[in-house]
């Protein structure tokens, strides 16, 4: 497969199965468009269940010999992939901008995240540990060992397709698993490019496979197969529930990182300028298409006017345009996403939301082509507003005034989601209370979003199962075996 980004020709995608590029059983193709121009930039095979099974079979064949390697050798292979990604960093960044729409500097940041995930988890190769425990019986020890699951299936979202793939691929491989990635049909090229680079490094055939197609067909087959040992998925809560149901028959082990509805709480003693800076970053980065984004703002009544005046001014100043020119914000990923947000804002306005910055879809002049939505700020009076309860995943910021931290925490917890939350305050008592008062897996206190790889990224409630990153995330790719060793 060739990745001719600068030729102006359409990339002809293929699946990567057992070390070979193939169209598999596909009788049709899926077109991939540039969300800034609506131009077709690539086609990929619309794979079927047969292709899922072929990739799983290739991964299953490769897994025993891969797991038999010393962990440090597996880590070195992942480090070699990181070096190859760094060598082709700009090409990968351009792919990300063309297929996903994020500004080129943010795409370069995503490539940096790919490198971080690969190198961090490669370093875990010498930290796979077990336990020896005293037994109640004479002449006996209890040994607990960690083993790979076998074949890991990765299902990733379209908002950070390369970083999310690396986040799952690296720990899976270092732990001794082999990997099958379903590259999301909206943004498939970056995952295929990672496979291309892995092949160039000499990664053994079948260790990393990429299939293309649609989730309800290829993804369903991957999840249901008895050859799949573990499924790790990042995506919507709706899709997570479908995977949960599909995995039930085989009692599949699941790691699901799902939707979020992060509250952004600003108290009366907060550093307002710092809070506004963080709120803007956490709402508009990647056009608001981040699961940990600032999705709803709870503002203490004493500072609400000042905060909103500054936040609206900053929102109005956000530059929008061709992501290759590196504006503050590029397009939404698809027309479907624009329509979803437009409908949600319409319902909120009919329910009484007040527009502070109209924003909305852009469809004229330079924006006649592409999927554009400009920053929109609204104030609501009820926690039942659609903008407060439903994940927006776009550049729309609702605000609600509160009278106390306790009220803000109560309203923040009134949600099915539990991924991330923000608090801005100088009061150490509030800061100390926050981890107990807020029922979310990840808290940002007096800072904007952006988790670190050595920590643990996990959601509570309908935001997911399991988690990613750090020693806890790595351990999720290993299962435990207990041996009662008696020498009497």
């Amino acid at each position: 497969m060739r990745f001719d980004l600068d030729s102006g020709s359409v990339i002809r995608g293929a699946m990567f199965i057992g070390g070979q590029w193939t169209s598999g059983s596909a009788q049709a193709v899926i077109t991939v468009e540039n969300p800034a121009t609506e131009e077709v930039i690539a086609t990929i095979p619309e794979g079927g269940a047969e292709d899922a099974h072929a990739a799983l079979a290739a991964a299953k064949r490769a897994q025993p010999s891969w797991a038999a390697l010393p962990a440090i050798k597996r880590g070195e292979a992942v480090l070699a992939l990181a070096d190859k990604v760094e060598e082709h960093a700009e090409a990968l960044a351009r792919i990300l901008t063309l297929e996903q729409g994020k500004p080129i500097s943010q795409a370069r940041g995503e490539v940096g995240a790919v490198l971080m995930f690969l190198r961090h988890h490669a370093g875990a190769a010498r930290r796979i540990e077990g336990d020896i425990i005293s037994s109640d019986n004479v002449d006996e020890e209890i040994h607990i060992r960690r083993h790979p699951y076998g074949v890991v299936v990765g299902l990733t979202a379209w908002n950070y397709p390369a970083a999310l793939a690396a986040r799952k691929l690296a720990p899976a491989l270092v732990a001794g698993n082999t990997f099958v990635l379903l590259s999301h049909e909206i943004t498939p090229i970056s995952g295929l490019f990672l496979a291309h680079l892995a092949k160039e490094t000499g990664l053994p055939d079948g260790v990393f496979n990429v299939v293309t197609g649609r989730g309800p067909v290829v993804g369903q087959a991957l999840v249901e197969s008895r050859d799949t040992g573990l499924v790790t998925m990042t995506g919507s809560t709706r899709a997570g529930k479908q995977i949960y149901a599909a995995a039930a028959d085989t009692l599949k082990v699941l790691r699901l990182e799902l939707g979020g509805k992060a509250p952004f709480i600003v108290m009366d003693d907060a550093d307002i300028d710092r809070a506004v800076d963080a709120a803007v970053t956490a709402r508009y980065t990647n056009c608001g298409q981040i699961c940990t984004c600032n999705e709803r703002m709870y503002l203490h009544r004493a500072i609400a006017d000042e905060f909103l005046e500054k936040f609206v001014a900053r929102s109005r100043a956000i530059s929008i345009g061709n992501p290759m020119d590196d504006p503050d914000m590029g397009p939404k990923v698809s027309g479907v996403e624009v329509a979803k947000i437009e409908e949600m804002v319409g319902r909120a306005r009919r329910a009484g939301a007040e527009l502070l910055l109209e924003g909305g879809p852009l469809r004229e002049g330079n924006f006649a082509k592409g999927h554009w939505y400009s920053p929109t700020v609204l104030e609501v009076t009820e926690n039942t507003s659609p903008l407060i309860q439903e994940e927006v995943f776009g550049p729309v910021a609702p605000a609600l005034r509160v009278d106390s931290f306790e009220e803000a925490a109560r309203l923040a917890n009134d949600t099915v989601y539990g991924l991330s939350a923000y608090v801005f305050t100088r009061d150490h008592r509030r800061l100390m209370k926050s981890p107990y008062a807020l029922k979310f897996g990840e808290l940002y206190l007096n800072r904007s979003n952006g988790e670190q790889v050595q920590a643990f990224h996990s959601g509570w409630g309908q935001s997911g199962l399991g988690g990613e990153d750090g020693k806890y995330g790595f351990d999720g790719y290993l299962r435990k075996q207990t041996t009662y060793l008696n020498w009497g």
Side-chain angles (χ1 to χ4, degrees), residues 156-214:
T156 55
W158 46 255
N159 59 334
Y160 284 90
L164 293 173
R167 189 181 218 169
K168 301 170 187 302
L169 175 69
L173 295 193
V174 175
N177 303 284
T178 50
F179 198 81
V180 178
L181 171 68
L182 173 56
S183 208
H184 198 286
E185 66 265 27
I186 294 178
T187 55
I189 307 304
S190 50
L192 295 170
F193 191 63
L194 288 177
H196 164 73
L197 298 180
K199 185 173 177 65
E200 285 198 349
T201 69
L203 193 71
D205 293 349
V207 170
F208 177 26
N209 308 271
V210 184
V211 290
T212 59
R214 302 188 188 278

Side-chain angles (χ1 to χ4, degrees), residues 183-251:
S183 208
H184 198 286
E185 66 265 27
I186 294 178
T187 55
I189 307 304
S190 50
L192 295 170
F193 191 63
L194 288 177
H196 164 73
L197 298 180
K199 185 173 177 65
E200 285 198 349
T201 69
L203 193 71
D205 293 349
V207 170
F208 177 26
N209 308 271
V210 184
V211 290
T212 59
R214 302 188 188 278
V217 178
V218 182
Q220 184 92 1
L222 291 170
V223 171
E224 291 179 344
S225 174
R226 295 185 182 276
D227 288 337
T228 299
L230 181 151
V231 176
T232 172
M233 175 265 195
T234 299
S236 69
T237 297
R238 173 194 54 78
K241 290 178 179 179
Q242 292 173 345
I243 291 168
Y244 198 97
D249 187 53
T250 51
L251 295 178

Side-chain angles (χ1 to χ4, degrees), residues 25 51 74 121 174 176 187 194 212 236 265 269 339 344 378:
S25 67
D51 304 303
R74 300 193 298 264
H121 288 296
V174 175
T187 55
L194 288 177
T212 59
S236 69
I265 297 170
D269 62 338
M344 194 181 299
L378 305 95

Side-chain angles (χ1 to χ4, degrees), residues 81-100:
L81 176 57
D83 291 343
K84 186 64 70 171
V85 169
E86 188 168 33
E87 182 182 338
H88 297 275
E90 189 64 16
L92 180 53
R94 286 176 57 80
I95 288 172
L96 289 166
T97 292
L98 286 171
E99 70 176 356
Q100 198 275 333

Side-chain angles (χ1 to χ4, degrees), residues 236-275:
S236 69
T237 297
R238 173 194 54 78
K241 290 178 179 179
Q242 292 173 345
I243 291 168
Y244 198 97
D249 187 53
T250 51
L251 295 178
K252 201 76 68 197
V253 178
L254 300 177
R255 304 280 182 264
L256 303 177
E257 195 231 329
L258 308 178
K261 191 65 186 174
F264 195 100
I265 297 170
V266 185
M267 287 289 98
D268 52 332
D269 62 338
D271 181 328
I272 300 303
D273 290 332
R274 184 177 177 184

